[in-house]
Amino acid sequence: MAQELYQPPKELVENSNIKAFMNKHGIADLDILLDKAQDLDWYWGEVAKELDWFKPWDKVLDDSGAPFFKWFTGAKFNIVHNCLDRHMNTPVKDKIAFIYESEPGEVERWTYEQLHKEVNMFANGLKKLGVKKGDRVTLFMPMIPQNPIAMLACAKIGAVHSVVFSGFSSGSLRDRILDADSKVLITTDGAYRRGKVVELKKNADAAMAEAPCCQHCVVFKRAGNDVPMTEGRDIWWHDLVDGLSDECEPEPLDSEDMLYMLYTSGTTGKPKGIVHIHGGYAVGTYSTLKFVFDLKPDDVWWCAADIGWVTGHSYIVYAPLMNGATSILYEGAPDFPAPDRWWSIVEREKVTVLYTSPTAIRMFMRHGEELPAKHDLSSLRLLGSVGEPINPEAWRWYRDNIGGGKLQIMDTWWQTETGTFMISPLPITDLKPGSATRPLPGVKADVLTQDGNPAKPGENGLGVLLKPWPAMLRTLYKDPDRYVQTYWSRFPGKYLTGDSVAKDEDGYFWFRGRVDEVLNVAGHRLGTAEVESALVAHKDVAEAAVVGVPHEVKGDVPKAFVTLKVGVEKTDALKDELKKWVATEIGKIAQPDEIEFRDKLPKTRSGKIMRRLLKAEALGQPVGDVSTLDE
Ligand code: WT7
């Protein structure tokens, strides 16, 4: 694995936040820091001191109930106090928190003070609806300021938010409302996507019709489309907050009180509700953004993800606000009205740090380097990547065409479960294109063979995390057994990431993709079992097997092998119908790229579908061992 090495410019290193932290503690180089930070109590305790605690902790890490770890026990804390309230006594109060740009092109600049007031008003509105500490509230919203406002309002009063990506179908929304047993749903009349209005309230209505737990629906007027309002259940956002006070004290919570749940795909048809909490999550997200993306008071930060995914939770909402940063919030599609929309925003708003996905980079690559070249991108000083392995070609294109041939790229490896970056460069790290480099301070990771021994350098194996970390998931909502089973049972005491990875001679990690039945479509996780259960719910389908096949832009895309019920004709029209069916059952991201009809699917003698064979076939690879095949 001989690789070119990209060393950071001296100026970046010398002025970096991580270097300042090292200097403060008399630490001469990165290796010494990584070593010293293995003392978790010291490292995490030290960074936690930069946040504001109502009452200090007794213990940094309590591992007595492992793998149900607890952090900062005994402390009183509220993440929203650290995002907003504490800035009201500093110059950050008048600083811009969000530069919001709508898809049609309006720009709004929200100061910290305005955001604070709006959050307080909405928090008071939630209280008026009877929302109390611990209650669950589901959000189904586009990328508008009211989305973070609603999240922060929930967290401020100790309610738990569950954000459902606005591209999901009504059925997916219903399942998530029911699983969370949400009392309130917050949505908008509509959302803009590529110039068209997507009718979110319509999906919300369909979901609520089958989710009786949901007593209230708050609707923010965004697109102005006509929506029916159900008397006694539905209320407009502006009516709810009308006349309410813009003051609201943050609920003093325990560090381990729940902040949110976020559903992500696993290996079964049922998504997992990942649980995050206030204290440790705040410490992890605050410090990783500060150290990895090196945010300074004058930076304009743009995490170009959707708030519906963990990237948006951690790095659009919570971490930037705790850091007092200015962020871009862009409502629309990256290629609307033209594929240089992003570059015009970078140029106009003088964005300094841009964080996006390999999928987006590959899409821009396809449109050619002329588009970014038309814009002045010289305000940028650092770049980032997340969501899937970045191929070295895309890495170099990104550096050359967006980074002016000189910017360092922070390839951050992490998961919904980890809450924060885990394996990632710092601004002081030498980079190898395609590698997420090494574990961050306070993180210990390794690569194991199938039987649990350390893999040799360069050998692909299973990625594991060897020590707990403050922003780790605490459990799976209402399913602690599945939490233990999924993450902690394969190698007891070690967290199984589900990723295939190799570590080179320098200890750099090279992620390859998932090892389980989980795809990574355009940086979003999708379980093959979810797509299969949607397909078999169609009246004409008998059986279905879904595999991931590589796609030039999106990383993986689902391909489905389907057997039909007796008497059903195999037509192209039915293929199209099934594709659309999956899109309406789950959401557009799950729509198979290709469907193939089969008379039979390959099965083991015990009746399990052998996806491995179908996958090898789809990829034109040798099928390997078939001794367990039925016939
Ligand atoms: C999976 C987690 C974390 C936010 C977005 C995805 C893959 C993520 C990288 C990276 C290689 C990556 C892994 C991981 N992944 N970042 N920098 N290099 N692979 O969150 O939906 O929870 O997916 O995304 O396979 O397990 P997620």
Side-chain angles (χ1 to χ4, degrees):
M1 269 186 268
Q3 287 289 328
E4 74 243 70
L5 208 61
Y6 290 80
Q7 286 169 335
K10 223 192 167 104
E11 201 197 314
L12 178 68
V13 173
E14 290 312 318
N15 296 325
S16 64
N17 290 336
I18 190 71
K19 196 80 192 179
F21 179 86
M22 287 158 64
N23 290 342
K24 182 176 161 200
H25 294 284
I27 296 168
D29 70 33
L30 181 56
D31 285 315
I32 300 175
L33 172 64
L34 294 178
D35 196 42
K36 187 163 161 59
Q38 288 303 318
D39 177 350
L40 303 184
D41 283 3
W42 172 76
Y43 179 70
W44 294 114
E46 219 31 64
V47 291
K49 282 185 198 160
E50 295 182 20
L51 296 176
D52 210 12
W53 301 77
F54 301 133
K55 176 174 173 264
W57 55 89
D58 303 324
K59 238 180 151 172
V60 173
L61 169 63
D62 174 0
D63 57 6
S64 59
F68 298 93
F69 296 93
K70 289 182 177 162
W71 291 83
F72 305 103
T73 49
K76 287 285 179 197
F77 185 81
N78 188 309
I79 196 169
V80 182
H81 169 78
N82 282 275
C83 289
L84 297 173
D85 299 64
R86 76 155 168 164
H87 299 312
M88 293 306 113
N89 308 317
T90 74
V92 175
K93 178 178 174 193
D94 298 317
K95 199 178 161 177
I96 305 293
F98 288 118
I99 301 171
Y100 162 66
E101 176 156 325
S102 74
E103 197 185 72
E106 301 102 325
V107 177
E108 289 172 13
R109 291 171 203 278
W110 287 72
T111 65
Y112 273 83
E113 186 182 22
Q114 287 169 319
L115 193 66
H116 178 242
K117 287 187 169 162
E118 206 71 18
V119 167
N120 288 346
M121 271 161 69
F122 196 67
N124 289 328
L126 290 174
K127 284 187 187 165
K128 202 166 93 180
L129 292 178
V131 177
K132 296 199 176 59
K133 179 178 164 187
D135 286 344
R136 276 82 52 212
V137 175
T138 297
L139 274 63
F140 188 60
M141 303 179 83
M143 286 276 289
I144 56 175
Q146 287 70 27
N147 190 337
I149 287 168
M151 291 164 75
L152 293 160
C154 290
K156 189 156 202 183
I157 63 172
V160 172
H161 59 72
S162 165
V163 178
V164 178
F165 173 57
S166 61
F168 275 121
S169 67
S170 59
S172 299
L173 175 61
R174 173 203 56 216
D175 293 347
R176 286 160 177 75
I177 295 174
L178 285 171
D179 189 71
D181 195 16
S182 283
K183 220 175 180 171
V184 174
L185 175 66
I186 305 169
T187 188
T188 64
D189 48 358
Y192 284 102
R193 196 70 187 171
R194 294 205 165 77
K196 293 206 197 80
V197 173
V198 186
E199 297 185 84
L200 287 191
K201 176 65 164 52
K202 210 165 151 184
N203 283 349
D205 281 333
M208 283 186 292
E210 294 168 6
C213 56
C214 190
Q215 299 159 11
H216 295 287
C217 179
V218 184
V219 188
F220 182 79
K221 204 188 235 342
R222 165 71 193 104
N225 51 311
D226 258 343
V227 294
M229 297 290 280
T230 299
E231 183 78 43
R233 185 194 69 185
D234 300 351
I235 180 164
W236 289 106
W237 176 301
H238 55 262
D239 288 334
L240 178 69
V241 299
D242 188 37
L244 294 183
S245 156
D246 60 13
E247 282 171 35
C248 171
E249 286 303 310
E251 185 76 28
L253 301 167
D254 289 340
S255 302
E256 289 289 321
D257 275 337
M258 203 167 152
L259 170 62
Y260 68 79
M261 68 178 90
L262 182 59
Y263 289 91
T264 189
S265 295
T267 52
T268 72
K270 191 176 179 292
K272 307 181 277 198
I274 305 294
V275 171
H276 284 294
I277 53 74
H278 274 253
Y281 177 80
V283 173
T285 51
Y286 164 80
S287 59
T288 48
L289 182 62
K290 174 173 173 175
F291 290 146
V292 172
F293 285 106
D294 199 36
L295 288 192
K296 304 281 168 43
D298 292 336
D299 274 313
V300 177
W301 160 248
W302 188 3
C303 167
D306 193 286
I307 293 179
W309 313 110
V310 74
T311 310
H313 282 58
S314 295
Y315 297 109
I316 295 177
V317 183
Y318 290 110
L321 295 176
M322 280 186 281
N323 277 281
T326 296
S327 296
I328 302 284
L329 185 66
Y330 170 56
E331 178 186 35
D335 53 354
F336 188 87
D340 63 345
R341 179 70 184 259
W342 277 19
W343 315 129
S344 70
I345 296 176
V346 170
E347 179 171 23
R348 185 164 19 86
E349 299 299 344
K350 302 201 171 35
V351 173
T352 58
V353 189
L354 176 68
Y355 183 40
T356 184
S357 67
T359 292
I361 296 161
R362 289 191 294 261
M363 184 201 83
F364 293 127
M365 271 171 90
R366 284 224 300 210
H367 288 295
E369 50 208 54
E370 302 74 32
L371 286 177
K374 282 201 316 201
H375 297 273
D376 177 5
L377 306 180
S378 61
S379 55
L380 288 169
R381 65 176 197 91
L382 206 54
L383 301 174
S385 173
V386 61
E388 54 192 304
I390 180 165
N391 45 312
E393 195 198 351
W395 195 100
R396 286 188 210 100
W397 189 92
Y398 192 26
R399 176 166 166 117
D400 288 343
N401 295 286
I402 308 304
K406 56 176 199 282
L407 299 189
Q408 295 293 90
I409 300 171
M410 305 294 110
D411 176 3
T412 61
W413 178 89
W414 58 298
Q415 309 179 301
T416 306
E417 291 86 341
T418 68
T420 50
F421 314 147
M422 299 300 286
I423 298 176
S424 164
L426 290 156
I428 59 175
T429 307
D430 293 345
L431 306 178
K432 302 182 187 186
S435 169
T437 75
R438 298 198 284 166
L440 288 171
V443 174
K444 196 169 171 90
D446 205 358
V447 181
L448 302 181
T449 62
Q450 295 292 334
D451 34 74
N453 297 311
K456 290 194 271 303
E459 186 188 357
N460 283 338
L462 303 170
V464 290
L465 299 170
L466 301 179
K467 286 185 177 178
W469 62 100
M472 67 195 301
L473 78 163
R474 293 308 195 261
T475 187
L476 296 178
Y477 191 65
K478 288 197 296 207
D479 207 349
D481 293 344
R482 190 175 175 196
Y483 166 73
V484 177
Q485 184 58 34
T486 307
Y487 305 105
W488 301 97
S489 67
R490 175 78 193 259
F491 306 116
K494 301 182 173 108
Y495 171 91
L496 187 71
T497 64
D499 276 20
S500 167
V501 57
K503 199 166 66 165
D504 70 15
E505 313 68 33
D506 300 326
Y508 277 48
F509 285 69
W510 297 81
F511 285 92
R512 311 290 187 202
R514 303 283 306 185
V515 289
D516 46 16
E517 303 296 336
V518 173
L519 314 185
N520 203 324
V521 184
H524 303 309
R525 212 194 291 184
L526 180 69
T528 55
E530 278 171 89
V531 186
E532 288 166 3
S533 56
L535 283 166
V536 297
H538 187 278
K539 63 177 181 6
D540 292 338
V541 173
E543 282 184 309
V546 171
V547 300
V549 294
H551 182 276
E552 201 192 328
V553 174
K554 296 182 189 168
D556 288 331
V557 287
K559 170 169 181 173
F561 296 86
V562 169
T563 64
L564 296 171
K565 289 194 181 146
V566 184
V568 179
E569 240 189 288
K570 300 174 185 142
T571 62
D572 285 342
L574 182 55
K575 283 187 187 171
D576 286 342
E577 184 182 322
L578 291 177
K579 287 184 190 173
K580 286 199 192 108
W581 170 263
V582 174
T584 30
E585 284 290 295
I586 305 177
K588 189 95 185 174
I589 48 162
Q591 180 171 315
D593 219 41
E594 214 187 313
I595 292 188
E596 221 178 283
F597 293 132
R598 288 289 169 92
D599 293 324
K600 255 187 182 174
L601 297 177
K603 286 191 190 152
T604 62
R605 261 160 266 156
S606 60
K608 272 177 121 180
I609 296 172
M610 292 180 78
R611 287 185 197 79
R612 183 171 59 78
L613 299 190
L614 294 166
K615 177 147 184 164
E617 206 192 299
L619 302 182
Q621 289 168 352
V623 292
D625 176 24
V626 290
S627 55
T628 55
L629 189 64
D630 188 25
E631 52 191 77

